[in-house]
Amino acid sequence: MNNLYIENQSYIHLLDPRIKLMFFIVSAVIVFFLDLTGMFFYSANILLILIISKSYLNVFKVKYIMLSIFIFSFLIWSFANSTGTKLIGPFTTEGVEEGLLTGLRLISLMSIGIIMISTTKIEDLSIALIKFGLPYKLVFSFTTTIRLIPIVLDSVEDIRNAQKLRGIGNINRKASPIKKLKENVPLLIPIIAKTLKRTNDLAIALEVKCFGIMDTRTQYNSISFSKNDGLFLVIIFVMISISLYIRGL
C-alpha cells in the first residue's frame, strides 16, 4: 500500500480536483445544518459516491478508526444530552439522536476526504490548492503528509511483523482492548524513530535541491473544468437542497 490513489476511470476520478475540494468544504458547512433524517439522506448519497468511485477500498483500510470515532462520538453526545424522553438507563431519545447525528457528520466528512484522496492524484490536488491561492510551501507540506501516510502504515506493519518474529507483541485476539493497547506500546519507539529519520532525510534532500529558492513555479500537469464538473455541481446542489428540504419537514 504505497499510494492511497485508486487507479480507475470512474466519473468521480475524471472530475476537476477543485470541484472535489469545493464539495468537501461545502459539506463541512452543510452537515451542521441538517437534522438526523437529512443527514441519513446525505450520508446515503456519499455512500453511493464511495461505491461508484471504488473509494470504499480505502475505507476498509481505516474501518476500525472510523468505527471507533463513530462509537466514541455517539457515546459522548448521548451521555451529554440527558434531557428528554428516557430510553434505556442514562440514555434519552434526544441524546441518542444527537449522538447518531454527530457520528454521521464525522464519518461523512471523513468519507468525502477519502473520496478526494482516492480519486485525485497528489500532483493534481497540489495544482488545485495552488490555484485556490495557497502558498506552494504550504501545499507541498500538506501533499507530502498525505504521501507519508501509507508509508508510515507500511512501516507499522513491518515493525509489527519483525517484533512478532522475535516473540514480541504476539497479541491475543481475545485480550481486552486495554491489554491490546499496552502490548502495542513497544511499537511506538521504532515507529517514531523511523518516521523522524525519514523526515530528516527528506529535509536534507530538499535543502540539497534548493527547495523554495524560486518565487514562482511551473507545473508539468494542468487541470481544467469540463461539462462533467458542471453536472456534478448540479448534482451536489440537488443533493443539498433535498437534504435541507427533508430537514424542514
Side-chain angles (χ1 to χ4, degrees):
M1 186 182 66
N2 54 14
N3 198 346
L4 295 174
Y5 176 74
I6 298 174
E7 291 286 350
N8 200 353
Q9 289 297 315
S10 71
Y11 174 73
I12 308 300
H13 280 74
L14 299 177
L15 293 174
D16 190 288
R18 288 168 289 184
I19 297 296
K20 300 174 196 176
L21 282 170
M22 289 171 58
F23 178 41
F24 179 80
I25 294 169
V26 170
S27 296
V29 176
I30 290 297
V31 293
F32 291 100
F33 291 92
L34 300 178
D35 61 2
L36 187 58
T37 307
M39 197 64 234
F40 269 122
F41 175 79
Y42 203 74
S43 300
N45 283 276
I46 293 173
L47 177 61
L48 181 61
I49 296 174
L50 281 170
I51 295 172
I52 292 173
S53 63
K54 294 188 177 180
S55 301
Y56 62 86
L57 297 174
N58 278 333
V59 171
F60 289 151
K61 296 174 184 177
V62 294
K63 57 182 180 293
Y64 294 117
I65 296 175
M66 295 181 71
L67 182 61
S68 299
I69 291 174
F70 179 82
I71 293 174
F72 179 77
S73 60
F74 170 75
L75 292 175
I76 289 295
W77 284 97
S78 296
F79 278 116
N81 190 350
S82 58
T83 59
T85 307
K86 287 290 182 181
L87 196 59
I88 299 175
F91 295 101
T92 62
T93 303
E94 290 77 3
V96 169
E97 289 180 356
E98 187 67 25
L100 283 173
L101 181 57
T102 305
L104 282 174
R105 283 170 176 165
L106 294 174
I107 295 302
S108 295
L109 291 178
M110 287 182 66
S111 298
I112 295 173
I114 290 174
I115 290 171
M116 187 170 61
I117 294 172
S118 302
T119 62
T120 310
K121 293 180 178 178
I122 295 296
E123 296 81 6
D124 294 337
L125 180 60
S126 175
I127 296 172
L129 291 171
I130 292 171
K131 285 185 177 292
F132 274 132
L134 294 178
Y136 178 77
K137 289 184 179 180
L138 179 62
V139 173
F140 180 83
S141 300
F142 174 71
T143 53
T144 301
T145 302
I146 295 176
R147 289 180 187 274
L148 287 176
I149 291 174
I151 297 174
V152 171
L153 291 177
D154 279 345
S155 297
V156 172
E157 192 63 29
D158 291 341
I159 293 169
R160 181 181 285 113
N161 292 333
Q163 293 197 352
K164 282 182 179 180
L165 290 174
R166 296 181 177 92
I168 305 173
N170 290 317
I171 300 173
N172 183 2
R173 293 183 179 275
K174 295 182 180 179
S176 65
I178 296 177
K179 188 174 181 181
K180 288 181 179 180
L181 184 62
K182 288 181 178 178
E183 291 179 344
N184 272 308
V185 169
L187 294 173
L188 293 177
I189 295 176
I191 290 170
I192 294 172
K194 195 168 184 178
T195 303
L196 290 175
K197 184 180 183 302
R198 182 176 286 112
T199 304
N200 184 59
D201 292 343
L202 178 61
I204 293 172
L206 291 174
E207 288 182 7
V208 170
K209 295 180 179 180
C210 299
F211 175 77
I213 195 171
M214 302 295 292
D215 293 330
T216 58
R217 295 181 61 89
T218 58
Q219 301 292 337
Y220 179 76
N221 295 335
S222 61
I223 56 176
S224 59
F225 291 110
S226 65
K227 293 181 180 179
N228 287 335
D229 300 311
L231 178 60
F232 189 71
L233 285 175
V234 173
I235 293 172
I236 293 174
F237 177 77
V238 172
M239 190 170 78
I240 292 173
S241 299
I242 294 175
S243 299
L244 292 173
Y245 175 75
I246 292 174
R247 178 183 183 275
L249 292 178

